[in-house]
Structures are given as structure tokens and as C-alpha cells.
Amino acid sequence: MSVIAAYVYGEGRRVRGIDLHDPGSLYIEPGQFAWIGLFEPTEDELDILKRRFDLHPLAVEDALKSNQLPKVDVYGDQLFVVARTAHLEGEKIGYGETDIFVGANHIITVRHGSARAHLELREHLEAAPAQLKHGVDYILHAVLDFIVDGYFPIVDAIEEEVLAMERYALDAFLSRAEVLRIFGLRRELMRFKRVLGPMEEVASRLEHHEMPCVDLEVRPYFRDVYDHVRRVASLVESLRDVLSSVFEASSLMEQQRQGAITRRLAAWAAILAVPTAIAGIYGMNFEVMPELKWRYGYLMVMVVILAICLFLYTRFKRSKWL
């Protein structure tokens, strides 16, 4: 059974439970409203709710597909809101979908692929009857706020990994796997940003536009949802910038290290060129060469080689090439 929780509320308090297969329990008295939570329901279960609460066929079709971007659709005197949930799946961000049908006396949440149930949220709202008595529009705000709050642990976890990469990149070369991880994180953050944009629009529309089932005094609550989405979007953009900086800093550090190694090699090559050149000249076996038969010729050549090499070594050391 995909029904997680289904109750009728009146004056901010739970009145009774709902059985989808009992037509009598779906009757809602004036002043009351139903809050039904479903997880990956079947077509038959949604069809029961469609006939009882006069849900729009297009909205029901979207709820069954579960592949929509965040949006707000108005169907007569009812609202259909799509929100995207997010969670970490190992090193990647996994996405789910929550579809919300809102009418004058009902709110139906349909979850797909989200591991975070609304039971904790329902208990929290039931503990505050003064808030719950606002009705379905306040619950809509609470559900959207619950979904957006689930984004922050994702950003926090990625931020810790990014900061660890930043510290490591300043001390050592990034391996191929670490470079691929940086680009993988950037790709995940870009996908996340594409979800946050429509979520901002959803919260903004619910706050600023006149919508059925959303009272004027409840509309400012959606400003809080909008601010939370904007904050997450700002953090995501900052993390993308940090990842770019980590890669650029790592590249600069690697170039600097390679330059230092190149200078050392060039310095040693210059030092070794002296004995190589002298030894090459005297290895030509010509009959007539300066000091070839001199008693101290070999010693003099070695002294000259050592003196020149020591001079070059000292100069390169002072210039920090060695």
C-alpha cells in the first residue's frame, strides 16, 4: 500500500483517519480538510483520489510520470505544485520528486524516489494546532520548506570535500582521479543549479501571485522558502567557483614545480657541460695539443674543471636555480 498517512483535520487537530477504499471516509465536512501522503502510488490509487477530489487529468498524468521540473500549475480552483527533492547517493546527487495537489479542502502529496518521508513534518505540525489551523496553504508552505531544508546537508557535505581538496592541492599534485572528481563535482553542482532555478520560481510565484487556495496572510511564508532556495543557490555557485580555483591553483602549483625542476636540470646540465667539453677536446687524440706532454697537464685540467664547476654551482645556488 502506497498510502503513508491520510487524515482529516479540523481546527488544527487530527479528527480521523482516511481509507481510500472506503468512499465514506473520503467525505470532508465543512471547515475540515484532508492531508493524504502517498509514496509512488499506483494508477488505481490516484484514480480514486482523482474522482473524489476532482483532480485534473493532466496533473494526475504528471504525478504518474514523475519526471517534471519544479513548477506551479493552476487548474480552476486547484493548484498542482511539483518540487524536486535531492539526496546524496555516494559521490553523486540523487533526485526525487514530490507532487502536491492543493484544493480548498484537501492537500495530497505524492512522493517519488525520495527517502525523506513527511511523517516527522506531520508530527511537528500536529504539535502546533495554531499553525495547522491555517489550512492547506500553510501545509503547502511547510512541505516545500521541508524539501528545501533537505538541500543544505548536501551542500555541507560537498563543501567539506571541496575544502579538503583545496588543502591537499596546495601541498601535493592532484592525481588523475582527483582531477576527475573535481570535474564530477562541478557537473553535479551544475545539475543541482538547474533544479534550484525553477524552485526559486515556484516559491516566488506562490508569494507574489494570487493563487487559488493560498490566502493572503499565508503568502509571506513562501518568502522564507524563496530565501532558503536563494541561499542554497548562492552556496552552490560559491562551491563551483572554489572548485575552479582549486583546479587553477593546482595547475599553477604544478607549473611552478615543473619550472623549478626544469631550472635545476638546466643548471646541472650547464655545470656538467664544462668537464664534458674539456674531456671531449682532449679525447680527440690529436698529435699537437697544448700541454699534451706536460708533467702537470692532467692535474691542471682537473683543477680547472673543479674551479669552473664550483663557480657555476655557487652562481646557480645564489640565483636559487639549485
Side-chain angles (χ1 to χ4, degrees):
M1 189 68 175
S2 62
V3 179
I4 305 302
Y7 298 100
V8 173
Y9 295 86
E11 295 300 321
R13 300 186 183 277
R14 184 188 296 184
V15 176
R16 58 180 174 82
I18 294 176
D19 182 0
L20 294 188
H21 300 286
D22 180 8
S25 70
L26 291 173
Y27 175 75
I28 311 298
E29 296 181 3
Q32 297 180 346
F33 66 88
W35 181 4
I36 302 173
L38 307 175
F39 178 71
E40 298 183 354
T42 64
E43 187 174 353
D44 293 337
E45 289 168 337
L46 278 181
D47 188 62
I48 294 173
L49 296 174
K50 171 187 171 183
R51 287 184 276 106
R52 169 60 187 86
F53 295 107
D54 195 25
L55 305 180
H56 198 278
L58 292 178
V60 174
E61 182 180 348
D62 286 345
L64 286 171
K65 288 180 180 178
S66 69
N67 60 353
Q68 307 292 313
L69 284 174
K71 64 177 182 177
V72 178
D73 288 335
V74 179
Y75 295 104
D77 59 349
Q78 296 188 17
L79 280 178
F80 177 66
V81 181
V82 177
R84 296 287 283 180
T85 60
H87 57 280
L88 281 176
E89 294 179 349
E91 296 184 346
K92 294 187 177 182
I93 301 176
Y95 297 93
E97 181 179 318
T98 298
D99 305 308
I100 310 170
F101 299 87
V102 185
N105 64 348
H106 67 272
I107 178 167
I108 303 168
T109 58
V110 180
R111 292 188 298 117
H112 295 276
S114 173
R116 296 182 71 216
H118 298 158
L119 294 176
E120 182 181 350
L121 172 64
R122 188 185 291 263
E123 292 174 358
H124 176 73
L125 292 177
E126 289 178 349
Q131 300 294 331
L132 192 58
K133 71 187 299 183
H134 283 296
V136 295
D137 46 2
Y138 185 80
I139 296 176
L140 173 62
H141 149 263
V143 171
L144 292 177
D145 192 53
F146 178 80
I147 291 172
V148 173
D149 285 346
Y151 297 160
F152 286 100
I154 299 172
V155 176
D156 291 341
I158 294 178
E159 183 179 24
E160 289 297 323
E161 185 173 358
V162 170
L163 292 177
M165 284 184 175
E166 186 178 35
R167 290 190 296 268
Y168 180 79
L170 296 176
D171 298 328
F173 291 107
L174 291 178
S175 65
R176 175 179 173 81
E178 289 161 342
V179 172
L180 291 176
R181 180 58 181 151
I182 287 177
F183 282 99
L185 282 175
R186 279 178 54 85
R187 184 168 56 251
E188 291 298 318
L189 291 174
M190 289 177 64
R191 290 179 58 202
F192 198 15
K193 192 71 181 292
R194 286 198 292 267
V195 169
L196 295 174
M199 283 295 291
E200 286 185 40
E201 185 179 352
V202 167
S204 179
R205 287 191 61 189
L206 291 171
E207 178 193 4
H208 295 105
H209 296 268
E210 187 174 341
M211 296 282 181
C213 309
V214 179
D215 293 337
L216 188 61
E217 61 269 20
V218 177
R219 280 164 57 180
Y221 285 97
F222 292 100
R223 177 68 187 183
D224 184 57
V225 178
Y226 178 79
D227 289 342
H228 286 183
V229 179
R230 287 291 301 272
R231 182 183 169 194
V232 174
S234 177
L235 291 172
V236 167
E237 193 63 32
S238 298
L239 287 176
R240 287 180 58 194
D241 292 340
V242 172
L243 283 172
S244 297
S245 300
V246 168
F247 182 75
E248 292 172 0
S250 175
S251 298
L252 290 174
M253 294 291 288
E254 186 173 352
Q255 291 174 11
Q256 184 180 17
R257 295 185 188 108
Q258 289 178 350
I261 293 172
T262 302
R263 287 195 300 271
R264 290 192 186 96
L265 292 175
W268 283 113
I271 293 172
L272 294 175
V274 175
T276 301
I278 295 176
I281 291 173
Y282 279 89
M284 292 180 183
N285 296 321
F286 291 128
E287 286 290 337
V288 181
M289 294 187 70
E291 315 301 342
L292 187 62
K293 299 185 181 297
W294 182 36
R295 178 183 181 89
Y296 301 104
Y298 172 77
L299 180 61
M300 181 59 67
V301 169
M302 295 303 295
V303 170
V304 170
I305 289 175
L306 289 174
I308 295 175
C309 289
L310 182 60
F311 172 75
L312 291 176
Y313 178 83
T314 304
R315 292 295 300 272
F316 287 134
K317 197 71 174 178
R318 287 177 180 175
S319 61
K320 297 181 179 180
W321 278 47
L322 289 175

